[in-house]
Structure formats: C-alpha cells, structure tokens
Amino acid sequence: MPVVDTQSGPVEHVFLDGDPLLPPLVFLHGGLGCVASWGRFPARLAAATGRRALVYSRHGSGGSGPARGPRTPRYMHEHAHEVLPELLDLLGVRSPVLVGHSDGGSIALLYASARPVEAVVAMGPHMYFEDQNRLGIEAARASYEAGPLARKLALVHDDPRSVFESWSGVWLSPEFRDWSIEDDLDVTAPVLMIQGDRDEYGTLDQLDAVERSVSGVVRRLVPEGCDHYPHLVCPDLVADTTRSFLAEYGLGARPVETLS
C-alpha cells in the first residue's frame, strides 16, 4: 500500500478511481478502524457516486507509523486541525466530501468547521461524552480481554494492542467525561447524519447535537435494527442515500428529514 510521509510519520493510503473533476471522497475511520476495516464500502460508495476516493489509516492504526506520544482528550481536534490538513495538502485533495465513521465523523465535523469541504457524511459521530459511550467501550474491553475483539483487530492492525488501549484508555479516563465538540463547530457545508437505532456507542441525542451545530442543509438516516456500523450492516442503503444526498443537496436549503 502506498505511504506518504507527514510531519507526524508515515501514513498508509489508497486512492480509488473516479471522475477527477468531482471533489473526491475522503474516508475517516473510527477509533478501532483503519484502511482494511472499511471492507468493500469505499469502493461501493465510489462506484455509486462516480467519485475518486482516498482511504487512509491514522497514525498508530493499520500499517501507518506509530502515534507520537500518548493520546489526549483532544486527539480528534489535533487530527482535524493539524494532521488531516497536512495530509490532504500533500496528496493534492481540496474541498472533499468527508465520509467519517465514529471518531472519524467527529473529525470530519471539526475539519469542516475550519476548512472548505463539499459535504460531510457522519456515521455514528460523537459530539459529547455520554454514558452510552462508557457502556459500549466497557463491553468492547470485555470482548478484547476475552479474545474475540483482540483476534479481529490483529487481522488489520500492525499493533492491535496499542490501538485498543490508546482508544479505550482515553475514552474511559476521568478527563474525558467533560469532552465535547459542540462549542467548536461552525459547519456550513451540507451534512448527512447516519446512525443505527441500536448503536452501542451512542444515543440518537448525538444527531440532535450535530443538527444544532450545522447551519446548512442537514438530513438524517436512522437504519432500523442497525448497530454502530451502518456501512457494514446495510451498505447498499448507506451508499444509495449518500449518492442521492450528494446529487440533491445543492438544489437549495432543505429542512431536516428522517429517512427510512
């Protein structure tokens, strides 16, 4: 897989083909994710929208270089405002469509508050710490210690233990209880919010918080019976909804809608 050298270390990435005249998709993975963990979804969405796509692994994840220093409660801010702008500049990506999952959804919203984007697709984004976060991560920790999650992460990460411990450690730390990005957002780009109604890592109140922070077009999709990974559980629905959203959002301001 190609690697680009950034000030924070090497980043593995892959480009998928598409129309070079359209702003590309940029995929931002969740706390335990990487390039490989997206599966076939980036290729599916790139084909559905006709756009090029950039998929990459953050430092410490997948096959990218290790993270520099311990993770702090501001790690999503740091990536959105320091690492991601440098990476996109190095790769010649401008005004992208950001497709973020979980932590990646939060990073996408933070980036879109500071730099131009065509749109944001935020799946299961985190806006503030809530008790559901703690319950979900404690369940993940039990699965990791029992073995199933550890074996799953070992398939896609060079250092799976570091990935899990750095993610779960900061989220379960006392310092993270007051974490929020609500006051840091000023998003004017169109935003499509997607969250399963059985998301184990957050309630639908998170989408309400996103809506309060967005001044442009906002739509939401809440797939029934879906957990924290809608792009893996119902990829066709997510891809089709995203394609329609990107094709239609520029026709004028739309009210918030709930899609079935």
Side-chain angles (χ1 to χ4, degrees), residues 45-67:
L45 187 58
T49 61
R51 296 170 185 259
R52 299 173 68 224
L54 168 65
V55 194
Y56 74 98
S57 299
R58 295 196 293 275
H59 292 106
S61 300
S64 290

Side-chain angles (χ1 to χ4, degrees), residues 27-146:
F27 288 82
L28 309 174
H29 62 75
L32 298 180
C34 61
V35 170
S37 68
W38 284 104
R40 298 179 179 179
F41 182 71
R44 186 189 301 262
L45 187 58
T49 61
R51 296 170 185 259
R52 299 173 68 224
L54 168 65
V55 194
Y56 74 98
S57 299
R58 295 196 293 275
H59 292 106
S61 300
S64 290
R68 293 188 176 181
R71 184 173 293 192
T72 74
R74 289 190 59 82
Y75 74 96
M76 286 178 262
H77 292 77
E78 292 163 357
H79 191 85
H81 297 315
E82 300 171 18
V83 181
L84 184 55
E86 180 195 7
L87 176 66
L88 297 187
D89 287 346
L90 286 171
L91 296 176
V93 174
R94 294 175 179 81
S95 297
V97 174
L98 299 179
V99 182
H101 172 243
S102 194
D103 289 8
S106 306
I107 291 169
L109 292 165
L110 287 164
Y111 180 96
S113 297
R115 289 174 66 116
V117 301
E118 184 178 70
V120 173
V121 179
M123 297 184 286
H126 306 297
M127 291 291 289
Y128 58 87
F129 183 87
E130 61 177 347
D131 201 50
Q132 187 67 26
N133 302 139
R134 178 185 61 80
L135 294 173
I137 294 170
E138 287 178 347
R141 175 172 283 182
S143 177
Y144 184 86
E145 292 174 349

